[in-house]
Amino acid sequence: YPLFKPDFTISNTCFETPSSIADKTTSTYGKTIFWDWIVNGQTFSNTKNVSYDKLLAGSYNIQLKVRDDKGCFDSISKQVTVYPKPNIKYTIPNPCQFEQVQLECKSTVSAPATIITNTWVLPNGTRINSCNTTTSFNTAGINNLKLIALTDNGCADSMNIPITIFPKPVLNVTPNTKICYDKNIQLNVTGAVNYTWTPNQFLSNDKISNPICSPNYPNSITYEVKGIDANGCSDSATTTISFFTKPFI
């Protein structure tokens, strides 16, 4: 029976990508009844069509041995490459609400493959095709990012990345106040942990929440206070201290 020809279709693929080997053996006078798929010398399957999505990245020699019901048998071998997928890695600090944060991708892939595209997907769906980029988050709490990497062989992988956005503190400071020419005033601010008042003139201590302010009459003075909370997030506020007109007697 000379018209018995083993054959199969196979194509290079990416690791963990569902792929199959399809038997294309032809037998003019018989019917194929036996298949022996051999991968790098080891029997892989005895079914007609097989999946090879479980093969690790690398090059493989795929051999098919077939026999039909007329007793004909033959074999054929082909090469296939399973390309590696990228390994998603990144560096992201837990940022403060409304502040700029650096997103850095650190993804890798086994040589000789290379990563050609990195894409960040922000919580609002915006896609940024860059390995390193900056952005800000307006919503405090858990925000979900996604990082996608694509290799030169067309293999992609992605990772969902939840990050915690710390809320921006809100400072409450002494409102604008007028005082008598011979008086001082104690300033107060709440909402953070550490404070710095600017300028530091006429203050008993510019690093506390409640310094005594003793300005010189008749000039008003405006202070800005910056507060930093336990998460390193900051806010600022201002207050102006001025004077009532000094009475003349």
mmCIF file of all heavy atoms in Angstrom, residues 122-146:
data_model
loop_
_atom_site.group_PDB
_atom_site.id
_atom_site.type_symbol
_atom_site.label_atom_id
_atom_site.label_comp_id
_atom_site.label_asym_id
_atom_site.label_seq_id
_atom_site.Cartn_x
_atom_site.Cartn_y
_atom_site.Cartn_z
ATOM 1 N N LEU A 122 -4.626 52.432 33.474
ATOM 2 C CA LEU A 122 -4.998 53.135 34.695
ATOM 3 C C LEU A 122 -6.423 52.771 35.121
ATOM 4 O O LEU A 122 -7.183 52.195 34.331
ATOM 5 C CB LEU A 122 -4.877 54.642 34.477
ATOM 6 C CG LEU A 122 -3.495 55.150 34.023
ATOM 7 C CD1 LEU A 122 -3.495 56.667 33.945
ATOM 8 C CD2 LEU A 122 -2.397 54.655 34.954
ATOM 9 N N PRO A 123 -6.810 53.107 36.354
ATOM 10 C CA PRO A 123 -8.160 52.755 36.827
ATOM 11 C C PRO A 123 -9.286 53.284 35.956
ATOM 12 O O PRO A 123 -10.355 52.667 35.872
ATOM 13 C CB PRO A 123 -8.203 53.382 38.230
ATOM 14 C CG PRO A 123 -6.782 53.385 38.681
ATOM 15 C CD PRO A 123 -5.982 53.673 37.443
ATOM 16 N N ASN A 124 -9.070 54.419 35.272
ATOM 17 C CA ASN A 124 -10.123 54.967 34.403
ATOM 18 C C ASN A 124 -10.081 54.399 32.994
ATOM 19 O O ASN A 124 -10.834 54.840 32.120
ATOM 20 C CB ASN A 124 -10.025 56.495 34.350
ATOM 21 C CG ASN A 124 -8.714 56.978 33.751
ATOM 22 O OD1 ASN A 124 -7.878 56.179 33.314
ATOM 23 N ND2 ASN A 124 -8.515 58.289 33.719
ATOM 24 N N GLY A 125 -9.199 53.404 32.746
ATOM 25 C CA GLY A 125 -9.116 52.778 31.437
ATOM 26 C C GLY A 125 -8.081 53.377 30.501
ATOM 27 O O GLY A 125 -7.826 52.822 29.431
ATOM 28 N N THR A 126 -7.479 54.495 30.890
ATOM 29 C CA THR A 126 -6.445 55.110 30.061
ATOM 30 C C THR A 126 -5.254 54.169 29.923
ATOM 31 O O THR A 126 -4.785 53.592 30.906
ATOM 32 C CB THR A 126 -5.982 56.440 30.675
ATOM 33 O OG1 THR A 126 -7.085 57.339 30.746
ATOM 34 C CG2 THR A 126 -4.865 57.074 29.845
ATOM 35 N N ARG A 127 -4.756 54.015 28.698
ATOM 36 C CA ARG A 127 -3.614 53.152 28.422
ATOM 37 C C ARG A 127 -2.390 54.009 28.108
ATOM 38 O O ARG A 127 -2.458 54.927 27.288
ATOM 39 C CB ARG A 127 -3.917 52.213 27.245
ATOM 40 C CG ARG A 127 -5.107 51.293 27.490
ATOM 41 C CD ARG A 127 -5.502 50.549 26.236
ATOM 42 N NE ARG A 127 -4.547 49.522 25.887
ATOM 43 C CZ ARG A 127 -4.634 48.254 26.280
ATOM 44 N NH1 ARG A 127 -5.651 47.849 27.040
ATOM 45 N NH2 ARG A 127 -3.726 47.357 25.918
ATOM 46 N N ILE A 128 -1.284 53.705 28.770
ATOM 47 C CA ILE A 128 -0.041 54.443 28.571
ATOM 48 C C ILE A 128 1.011 53.454 28.088
ATOM 49 O O ILE A 128 1.410 52.542 28.818
ATOM 50 C CB ILE A 128 0.427 55.122 29.871
ATOM 51 C CG1 ILE A 128 -0.656 56.077 30.384
ATOM 52 C CG2 ILE A 128 1.736 55.867 29.647
ATOM 53 C CD1 ILE A 128 -0.333 56.689 31.730
ATOM 54 N N ASN A 129 1.466 53.626 26.854
ATOM 55 C CA ASN A 129 2.448 52.720 26.255
ATOM 56 C C ASN A 129 3.862 53.195 26.596
ATOM 57 O O ASN A 129 4.563 53.773 25.773
ATOM 58 C CB ASN A 129 2.256 52.635 24.745
ATOM 59 C CG ASN A 129 0.957 51.950 24.370
ATOM 60 O OD1 ASN A 129 0.561 50.960 24.986
ATOM 61 N ND2 ASN A 129 0.276 52.468 23.360
ATOM 62 N N SER A 130 4.241 52.938 27.822
ATOM 63 C CA SER A 130 5.574 53.332 28.280
ATOM 64 C C SER A 130 5.937 52.453 29.461
ATOM 65 O O SER A 130 5.074 52.086 30.267
ATOM 66 C CB SER A 130 5.588 54.806 28.690
ATOM 67 O OG SER A 130 6.845 55.166 29.218
ATOM 68 N N CYS A 131 7.226 52.127 29.562
ATOM 69 C CA CYS A 131 7.671 51.321 30.702
ATOM 70 C C CYS A 131 7.600 52.127 31.988
ATOM 71 O O CYS A 131 7.107 51.644 33.008
ATOM 72 C CB CYS A 131 9.092 50.818 30.454
ATOM 73 S SG CYS A 131 9.740 49.748 31.757
ATOM 74 N N ASN A 132 8.095 53.352 31.945
ATOM 75 C CA ASN A 132 8.090 54.220 33.116
ATOM 76 C C ASN A 132 7.271 55.467 32.815
ATOM 77 O O ASN A 132 7.453 56.104 31.770
ATOM 78 C CB ASN A 132 9.513 54.607 33.514
ATOM 79 C CG ASN A 132 10.366 53.394 33.844
ATOM 80 O OD1 ASN A 132 9.870 52.417 34.392
ATOM 81 N ND2 ASN A 132 11.648 53.451 33.505
ATOM 82 N N THR A 133 6.388 55.807 33.724
ATOM 83 C CA THR A 133 5.540 56.974 33.519
ATOM 84 C C THR A 133 5.122 57.525 34.868
ATOM 85 O O THR A 133 5.357 56.905 35.912
ATOM 86 C CB THR A 133 4.295 56.609 32.684
ATOM 87 O OG1 THR A 133 3.565 57.799 32.359
ATOM 88 C CG2 THR A 133 3.384 55.656 33.456
ATOM 89 N N THR A 134 4.533 58.704 34.871
ATOM 90 C CA THR A 134 4.005 59.294 36.098
ATOM 91 C C THR A 134 2.510 59.521 35.938
ATOM 92 O O THR A 134 2.022 59.773 34.835
ATOM 93 C CB THR A 134 4.691 60.629 36.436
ATOM 94 O OG1 THR A 134 4.531 61.531 35.321
ATOM 95 C CG2 THR A 134 6.172 60.425 36.709
ATOM 96 N N THR A 135 1.807 59.433 37.044
ATOM 97 C CA THR A 135 0.373 59.692 37.045
ATOM 98 C C THR A 135 -0.031 60.109 38.444
ATOM 99 O O THR A 135 0.792 60.135 39.367
ATOM 100 C CB THR A 135 -0.425 58.455 36.593
ATOM 101 O OG1 THR A 135 -1.801 58.815 36.406
ATOM 102 C CG2 THR A 135 -0.322 57.339 37.601
ATOM 103 N N SER A 136 -1.291 60.445 38.624
ATOM 104 C CA SER A 136 -1.815 60.770 39.949
ATOM 105 C C SER A 136 -3.163 60.092 40.112
ATOM 106 O O SER A 136 -3.807 59.703 39.129
ATOM 107 C CB SER A 136 -1.948 62.289 40.138
ATOM 108 O OG SER A 136 -2.841 62.829 39.170
ATOM 109 N N PHE A 137 -3.588 59.947 41.352
ATOM 110 C CA PHE A 137 -4.840 59.261 41.666
ATOM 111 C C PHE A 137 -5.718 60.187 42.493
ATOM 112 O O PHE A 137 -5.300 60.683 43.543
ATOM 113 C CB PHE A 137 -4.557 57.967 42.433
ATOM 114 C CG PHE A 137 -3.710 56.983 41.664
ATOM 115 C CD1 PHE A 137 -2.325 57.032 41.743
ATOM 116 C CD2 PHE A 137 -4.297 56.027 40.852
ATOM 117 C CE1 PHE A 137 -1.539 56.140 41.038
ATOM 118 C CE2 PHE A 137 -3.518 55.129 40.139
ATOM 119 C CZ PHE A 137 -2.142 55.182 40.229
ATOM 120 N N ASN A 138 -6.934 60.410 42.023
ATOM 121 C CA ASN A 138 -7.840 61.328 42.702
ATOM 122 C C ASN A 138 -8.681 60.649 43.770
ATOM 123 O O ASN A 138 -9.295 61.335 44.592
ATOM 124 C CB ASN A 138 -8.771 62.006 41.690
ATOM 125 C CG ASN A 138 -8.016 62.886 40.712
ATOM 126 O OD1 ASN A 138 -6.953 63.402 41.035
ATOM 127 N ND2 ASN A 138 -8.558 63.056 39.517
ATOM 128 N N THR A 139 -8.740 59.334 43.749
ATOM 129 C CA THR A 139 -9.570 58.588 44.691
ATOM 130 C C THR A 139 -8.698 57.844 45.683
ATOM 131 O O THR A 139 -7.852 57.038 45.299
ATOM 132 C CB THR A 139 -10.468 57.584 43.939
ATOM 133 O OG1 THR A 139 -11.243 58.291 42.968
ATOM 134 C CG2 THR A 139 -11.399 56.863 44.907
ATOM 135 N N ALA A 140 -8.909 58.123 46.967
ATOM 136 C CA ALA A 140 -8.165 57.424 48.010
ATOM 137 C C ALA A 140 -8.698 56.001 48.161
ATOM 138 O O ALA A 140 -9.826 55.695 47.776
ATOM 139 C CB ALA A 140 -8.279 58.172 49.328
ATOM 140 N N GLY A 141 -7.866 55.115 48.733
ATOM 141 C CA GLY A 141 -8.254 53.721 48.919
ATOM 142 C C GLY A 141 -7.559 52.826 47.910
ATOM 143 O O GLY A 141 -6.500 53.166 47.378
ATOM 144 N N ILE A 142 -8.161 51.666 47.632
ATOM 145 C CA ILE A 142 -7.573 50.714 46.699
ATOM 146 C C ILE A 142 -7.896 51.128 45.261
ATOM 147 O O ILE A 142 -9.054 51.312 44.897
ATOM 148 C CB ILE A 142 -8.101 49.287 46.952
ATOM 149 C CG1 ILE A 142 -7.774 48.847 48.383
ATOM 150 C CG2 ILE A 142 -7.493 48.318 45.943
ATOM 151 C CD1 ILE A 142 -6.294 48.765 48.682
ATOM 152 N N ASN A 143 -6.854 51.292 44.464
ATOM 153 C CA ASN A 143 -6.994 51.553 43.030
ATOM 154 C C ASN A 143 -6.317 50.406 42.284
ATOM 155 O O ASN A 143 -5.265 49.913 42.699
ATOM 156 C CB ASN A 143 -6.338 52.873 42.645
ATOM 157 C CG ASN A 143 -7.184 54.075 43.012
ATOM 158 O OD1 ASN A 143 -7.708 54.776 42.160
ATOM 159 N ND2 ASN A 143 -7.328 54.334 44.314
ATOM 160 N N ASN A 144 -6.911 49.987 41.169
ATOM 161 C CA ASN A 144 -6.391 48.839 40.425
ATOM 162 C C ASN A 144 -5.740 49.280 39.118
ATOM 163 O O ASN A 144 -6.377 49.902 38.271
ATOM 164 C CB ASN A 144 -7.511 47.840 40.131
ATOM 165 C CG ASN A 144 -7.997 47.159 41.392
ATOM 166 O OD1 ASN A 144 -7.235 46.489 42.071
ATOM 167 N ND2 ASN A 144 -9.262 47.335 41.727
ATOM 168 N N LEU A 145 -4.463 48.937 38.994
ATOM 169 C CA LEU A 145 -3.717 49.142 37.757
ATOM 170 C C LEU A 145 -3.552 47.812 37.046
ATOM 171 O O LEU A 145 -3.762 46.747 37.627
ATOM 172 C CB LEU A 145 -2.330 49.702 38.060
ATOM 173 C CG LEU A 145 -2.233 51.085 38.694
ATOM 174 C CD1 LEU A 145 -0.804 51.340 39.138
ATOM 175 C CD2 LEU A 145 -2.675 52.148 37.718
ATOM 176 N N LYS A 146 -3.149 47.886 35.788
ATOM 177 C CA LYS A 146 -2.805 46.683 35.035
ATOM 178 C C LYS A 146 -1.548 46.970 34.228
ATOM 179 O O LYS A 146 -1.416 48.040 33.645
ATOM 180 C CB LYS A 146 -3.956 46.285 34.096
ATOM 181 C CG LYS A 146 -3.772 44.937 33.413
ATOM 182 C CD LYS A 146 -5.028 44.568 32.619
ATOM 183 C CE LYS A 146 -4.935 43.164 32.048
ATOM 184 N NZ LYS A 146 -6.162 42.781 31.305
#
